[in-house]
Amino acid sequence: MIRIDKPAWDIMVEHARACYPRECCGAMLGKEADGVRTVHAARPMRNAFEGAQEDTYVLDPQEQLAVEKEARAQGLSVVGIFHSHPDCDAYFSKRDLENSCPWYSFVVLSVKNGEFDHANSFLPNFDQTEAPKEPLEY
Amino acid sequence: MPKILIPTPLRQFAGGSDAVEAAGATIGECLEALTAQHPDLRRNLYNDEGKLRSFVNIYLNDEDIRYLSKTGTAVKDSDTISIVPSIAGGR
Ligand SMILES: [Zn+2]
């Protein structure tokens, strides 16, 4: 399961609203113990997709390197990635699954008419053939 | 020796280490040395054909090795190698 601290959660929701109607993306920094990931900080990231961002996001690898460094410096780890679905439910699409990786939790925030609606977290399996939902608390 | 930074989710397969020193003259040799020390990392990084898995990108310091000489890229003792998963999505 994944638990997101309120200040981190607020940053994620604000980033999703600010990017609407485009998809936002970012990293979740925290700790993992006994199968529970706790997110202590959220780091908005640039959507590097060079095209219509209403239904697509791409992380910038250079920024990923920088975020990984920041996390290490704070004694935290990147435990997950978040992105938004503007005017669409918070499901994990086929393209989300195929372009994910089995190492992280993936939180999807649904934003409807510019306001946060609901969210889900997904855990892609080893071969990225499916991504079951994991319990999410925020 | 060049240092390989291990992303958190993979540390469990690297004896809990967040960085591993791996001897080698090229990226490929260093990754070989890494997976020889920690065999459980192999299936996380490579597919059945022995190629890096599609989402696994390797950086030498701040540069993607795809734009250098891929796994044949030469490394120095002072270099840092990072493993960065490529991540995207869409509806
Ligand atoms: Zn998506």
Side-chain angles (χ1 to χ4, degrees), chain A residues 23 57 83-85 91 93 96 108, chain B residues 89-91:
Chain A
E23 288 200 8
Y57 83 99
H83 75 279
S84 63
H85 280 181
Y91 69 101
S93 72
D96 284 337
V108 182
Chain B
R91 303 205 298 265

Side-chain angles (χ1 to χ4, degrees), chain A residues 45 59-66 68 101 103-104, chain B residues 4-7 10 45 53-64 66 81-87:
Chain A
M45 290 171 71
L59 293 189
D60 170 1
Q62 288 294 341
E63 199 176 16
Q64 284 177 262
L65 271 179
E68 184 72 34
C101 90
W103 302 345
Y104 296 130
Chain B
I4 304 180
L5 301 181
I6 310 295
L10 297 187
L45 298 178
R53 294 180 70 182
S54 57
F55 63 84
V56 174
N57 293 328
I58 304 292
Y59 277 71
L60 175 63
N61 303 315
D62 287 334
E63 287 199 78
D64 189 330
R66 276 181 304 176
I81 298 164
S82 299
I83 300 164
V84 180
S86 70
I87 291 170

Side-chain angles (χ1 to χ4, degrees), chain A residues 94-110:
Chain A
K94 187 164 174 283
R95 276 169 67 206
D96 284 337
L97 179 59
E98 287 170 355
N99 298 288
S100 67
C101 90
W103 302 345
Y104 296 130
S105 292
F106 284 80
V107 171
V108 182
L109 296 91
S110 165

